[in-house]
């Protein structure tokens, strides 16, 4: 199968290209900074209709990885996020409709959920609202029960949880899914959204405002500085290795052959093994022999406290299993080369 990978020169996209090649597919890369062979490559912006139309010639399916990622710096980033993520997706889907390409794997994100799943000892399953600046400034990082203020117990979130994006990036990722669903209904296409949790691994970008926390911690350690851990370090996340994410893309692509026309199916893509941000910082510090992390108490508005995945649907329906453990992955990541 000839597959167009948007953002195929990026961190996740390059691993998807490698996994597709290994599975016998023919990758075509569309990226602002494309690599050379073995994959065919087009140097272009996904928002360029003519370039996208040209890249789709002879293509059977698309893995849409191109996006502006991360929480960003402040709301001034909003036009860039919306322009890259949502306009770019709209241009791609429009070109796919015209070209008759009816199979799409979308790089979704767990950020569409907002906070993860919580249970209250008095009221059962609850959905806490955004944490207030006043509480965060006082070091009250755990969201309280919305009705009684009682401490909550976090758990894994499933795909049927309501969407509740808490920042601009999250809003654009949800909009991408809505656009893909509208495209599928209008064209009879088939789409899968893989809602990535915290992806890390070889080729992760260096220290930038848009890099993941694992990359920021590693960059600090390579400078001989301690990782700076926000809040109290107790934030629970699901760290999933990029090789496992790439494998999920290959399986999702294969699943589209049997998917109902006009459908979009979402799958959480996470390891299923929650770890705290503090644990991540300590694991990297140990692997690199660097200084111990410093817990700063700082916070960013728009961050959520706990979000971890239930990937039961992906395991049951597509047969996916993560292969890289947290311990192995962090050891490998600590010494890997960045983009």
């Amino acid at each position: 199968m000839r597959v167009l990978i948007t953002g195929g020169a990026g961190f996740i996209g390059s691993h998807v290209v490698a996994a597709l090649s290994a599975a016998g597919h023919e990758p075509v890369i569309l990226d602002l900074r494309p690599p050379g062979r073995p994959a065919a490559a087009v140097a272009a912006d996904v928002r360029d209709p003519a370039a996208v139309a040209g890249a789709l010639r002879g293509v059977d399916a698309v893995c849409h990885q191109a996006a502006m990622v991360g929480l960003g710096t402040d709301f001034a980033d909003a036009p860039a996020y919306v322009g890259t993520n949502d306009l770019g997706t709209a241009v791609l889907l429009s070109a796919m409709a015209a070209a008759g390409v009816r199979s799409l794997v979308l790089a979704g994100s767990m950020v569409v959920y907002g906070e993860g799943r919580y249970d209250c000892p008095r009221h059962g399953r609850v959905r806490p609202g955004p944490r207030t600046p006043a509480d965060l400034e006082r070091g009250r990082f755990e969201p309280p029960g919305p009705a009684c203020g009682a401490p909550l117990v976090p758990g894994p979130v499933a795909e049927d949880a309501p969407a509740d994006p808490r920042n601009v990036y999250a809003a654009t990722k949800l909009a991408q899914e809505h656009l893909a669903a509208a495209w599928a209904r209008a064209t009879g296409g088939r789409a899968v959204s893989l809602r990535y949790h915290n992806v890390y691994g070889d080729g992760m970008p260096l220290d930038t405002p848009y890099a993941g926390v694992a990359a920021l911690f590693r960059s600090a350690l390579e400078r001989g500085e301690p990782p700076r851990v926000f809040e109290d370090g107790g934030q629970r996340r699901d760290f999933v290795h990029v090789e496992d994410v790439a494998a999920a893309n290959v399986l999702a692509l294969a699943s589209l052959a049997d998917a109902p026309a006009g459908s979009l199916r979402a799958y959480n893509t996470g390891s299923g093994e929650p770890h705290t941000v503090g644990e991540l910082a300590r694991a990297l510090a140990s692997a690199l022999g660097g200084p111990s992390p410093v817990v700063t108490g700082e916070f960013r508005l728009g961050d959520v406290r706990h979000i971890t995945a239930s990937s039961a649907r992906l395991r049951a329906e597509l047969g996916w299993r993560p292969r890289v453990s947290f311990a192995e992955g962090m050891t490998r990541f600590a010494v890997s080369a960045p983009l």
Side-chain angles (χ1 to χ4, degrees):
M1 189 183 300
R2 187 172 170 88
V3 184
L4 177 66
I5 303 93
T6 68
F11 164 47
I12 297 175
S14 60
H15 286 270
V16 173
V17 168
L20 288 170
S21 295
H25 298 290
E26 180 185 355
V28 178
I29 293 171
L30 175 72
D31 199 290
L32 290 170
R33 300 170 302 279
R37 297 290 178 180
V42 177
D45 192 313
V46 73
R47 293 168 291 187
D48 181 340
V52 173
L56 284 169
R57 292 191 188 104
V59 162
D60 303 298
V62 174
C63 285
H64 184 30
Q65 308 293 321
M68 183 174 179
V69 300
L71 184 59
T73 54
D74 55 39
F75 202 81
D77 287 332
Y81 275 111
V82 173
T84 302
N85 297 354
D86 297 339
L87 176 59
T89 299
V91 168
L92 172 66
L93 294 173
S94 177
M96 290 174 65
V101 180
R102 298 291 182 261
S103 296
L104 172 70
V105 178
L106 174 67
S109 176
M110 54 82 179
V111 295
V112 301
Y113 299 116
E115 288 284 354
R117 196 193 87 192
Y118 289 90
D119 292 305
C120 173
R122 302 179 192 175
H123 297 95
R125 188 69 45 82
V126 296
R127 291 190 59 80
R131 298 178 295 169
T132 68
D135 279 347
L136 293 169
E137 287 167 0
R138 295 186 181 98
R140 297 173 182 171
F141 301 123
E142 294 289 343
C148 62
L152 302 178
V153 179
V157 66
E159 291 87 352
D160 58 358
D164 185 17
R166 299 285 176 92
N167 54 62
V168 171
Y169 171 63
T172 66
K173 295 306 290 184
L174 183 58
Q176 283 185 310
E177 287 195 4
H178 288 169
L179 288 166
W183 163 83
R185 287 191 295 270
T187 65
R190 298 167 171 85
V192 163
S193 178
L194 296 174
R195 292 176 176 170
Y196 300 159
H197 282 244
N198 292 75
V199 186
Y200 74 97
D202 301 3
M204 200 170 187
L206 287 171
D207 191 356
T208 75
Y210 307 104
V213 67
L216 296 174
F217 288 167
R218 186 182 68 172
S219 294
L221 287 161
E222 289 174 343
R223 295 192 301 268
E225 301 170 1
R228 294 177 61 81
V229 179
F230 279 18
E231 299 187 17
D232 60 359
Q235 309 94 304
R236 288 161 56 94
R237 297 291 188 268
D238 188 316
F239 299 100
V240 58
H241 197 272
V242 67
E243 290 177 5
D244 289 325
V245 168
N249 274 268
V250 176
L251 291 171
L253 181 66
S255 76
L256 292 173
D258 299 319
S263 67
L264 181 145
R265 186 72 163 155
Y267 294 96
N268 285 336
T269 308
S271 71
E273 298 181 3
H275 291 274
T276 67
V277 173
E279 287 177 311
L280 167 69
R282 291 191 292 273
L284 287 174
S286 175
L288 286 167
S292 298
V294 173
V295 177
T296 69
E298 297 172 88
F299 61 88
R300 297 190 305 177
L301 289 176
D303 272 348
V304 298
R305 179 62 176 175
H306 304 298
I307 175 71
T308 59
S310 168
S311 58
R313 177 185 290 181
L314 183 59
R315 294 168 185 250
E317 295 186 9
L318 302 191
W320 177 82
R321 295 290 185 278
R323 304 295 183 189
V324 183
S325 69
F326 180 79
E328 176 192 349
M330 287 300 158
T331 300
R332 288 170 52 186
F333 171 62
V335 297
S336 67
L339 287 176

